[in-house]
Amino acid sequence: MTATKIAIMGVGKIARDQHIPAIAADPRFELAATVSRSGGLDGVENFATLSELIAARPDIPAVSLCMPPSVRYEAAAEAIAAGKQTMLEKPPGATVAEVLDLARMAEEAGVTLFATWHSRHAEGVAAAKAWLADKTITALRIDWKEDVRKWHPGQDWIWEPGNLGVFDPGINALSILTEIVQVPLHLTGAELSFPENRAAPIAADLTFAGPGFIAEAAFDWRQEGGEIWQIAVETTAGTLRLIEGGARLFLDDSEQTVHGRGEYPDLYHRFGDLIEGGARDVDATPLIHVADAFLLGRRLVVEPFNE
């Protein structure tokens, strides 16, 4: 089997921590180049712009775009126009309209577009979805809280419009929610807490309505003493809990055995399958919920945030 050559654009923390090791572990891919103005990787050809990569390396058919969402649309559109199989780090764009437009472009060009939601590939998510498939949900609660200084140290871009603030991790919870709950949900209310010196929220409280139940979510970047990434779903057959970002699954108080490749290795496995099948996978639903939160959300001004 010949490995597909792939280039990464945006060699930041998420690329170094997750994408590059996942590519190295997948025999179907070969990291052939990077695109980064701030420097690439030792031993890997680097280009300053995507245009330079496309011109110099027509032998690279696939790209993985790992830069912040506020600047991803133009790069994705350029890659699709050049016929590149394209993978998008989450969230897939700064707006819903961008994502839908990229999906249209990819379909018209006949290339793969994979809008990834890495938390959907956590080990417990598929099993949770299967268990809930025939259950009646009575209540749902999400708590997704972490320390922004730990997970986004010195990353001022995350506080700018289009880069989501606390919804950057919160959208991971929403991606799991929309994967495991197979009934329609819509946002009915939100409170968004903005530090007085920042343009994006540091915390958010959301309420959703489902058929016969209410779902609540609390996202917070001011968490100290360890992360809380959990979803609890109460049903007439018992309570399901996903903790540690979906890695562990409990039914009532009994932990279930789950298996998986890990989030990012499974993303690249899925990307390989999509390329082989000439298919696309673009789901904007988690981003729609975030957009609705900004539309409906009551804005609260809280104390300033400083590193």
Side-chain angles (χ1 to χ4, degrees), residues 111-176:
V111 301
T112 291
L113 178 64
F114 183 22
T116 68
W117 299 106
H118 65 79
S119 289
R120 287 181 173 176
H121 297 257
E123 286 84 347
V125 172
K129 179 180 179 179
W131 189 83
L132 286 170
D134 61 352
K135 305 299 187 297
T136 300
I137 298 173
T138 58
L140 190 149
R141 172 75 188 185
I142 298 171
D143 289 285
W144 219 260
K145 303 177 181 182
E146 61 187 57
D147 183 351
V148 66
R149 292 181 175 89
K150 174 181 177 180
W151 292 96
H152 293 281
Q155 296 180 18
D156 286 341
W157 62 266
I158 203 73
W159 296 102
E160 294 301 319
N163 293 318
L164 302 187
V166 76
F167 285 101
D168 181 78
I171 205 170
N172 295 334
L174 297 178
S175 73
I176 295 176

Side-chain angles (χ1 to χ4, degrees), residues 206-285:
L206 313 179
T207 303
F208 298 87
F213 69 93
I214 298 297
E216 296 179 319
F219 306 149
D220 203 321
W221 255 348
R222 298 166 296 191
Q223 174 70 12
E224 296 179 357
E227 298 77 29
I228 300 173
W229 296 319
Q230 69 175 20
I231 299 175
V233 187
E234 296 180 21
T235 79
T236 54
T239 299
L240 176 148
R241 287 190 303 123
L242 284 169
I243 68 170
E244 297 180 10
R248 299 171 65 191
L249 170 65
F250 289 78
L251 297 178
D252 291 325
D253 293 324
S254 175
E255 183 166 7
Q256 306 299 296
T257 300
V258 294
H259 303 283
R261 299 179 182 86
E263 293 182 14
Y264 281 84
D266 204 50
L267 284 184
Y268 280 92
H269 183 82
R270 173 66 172 155
F271 191 32
D273 286 348
L274 291 170
I275 292 172
E276 289 178 6
R280 287 163 287 282
D281 183 350
V282 182
D283 177 16
T285 308

Side-chain angles (χ1 to χ4, degrees), residues 175-218:
S175 73
I176 295 176
L177 171 69
T178 52
E179 178 72 7
I180 66 175
V181 175
Q182 297 297 293
V183 294
L185 295 169
H186 67 277
L187 192 81
T188 58
E191 288 190 348
L192 311 182
S193 297
F194 286 75
E196 65 179 31
N197 61 337
R198 301 289 180 170
I202 197 168
D205 293 290
L206 313 179
T207 303
F208 298 87
F213 69 93
I214 298 297
E216 296 179 319

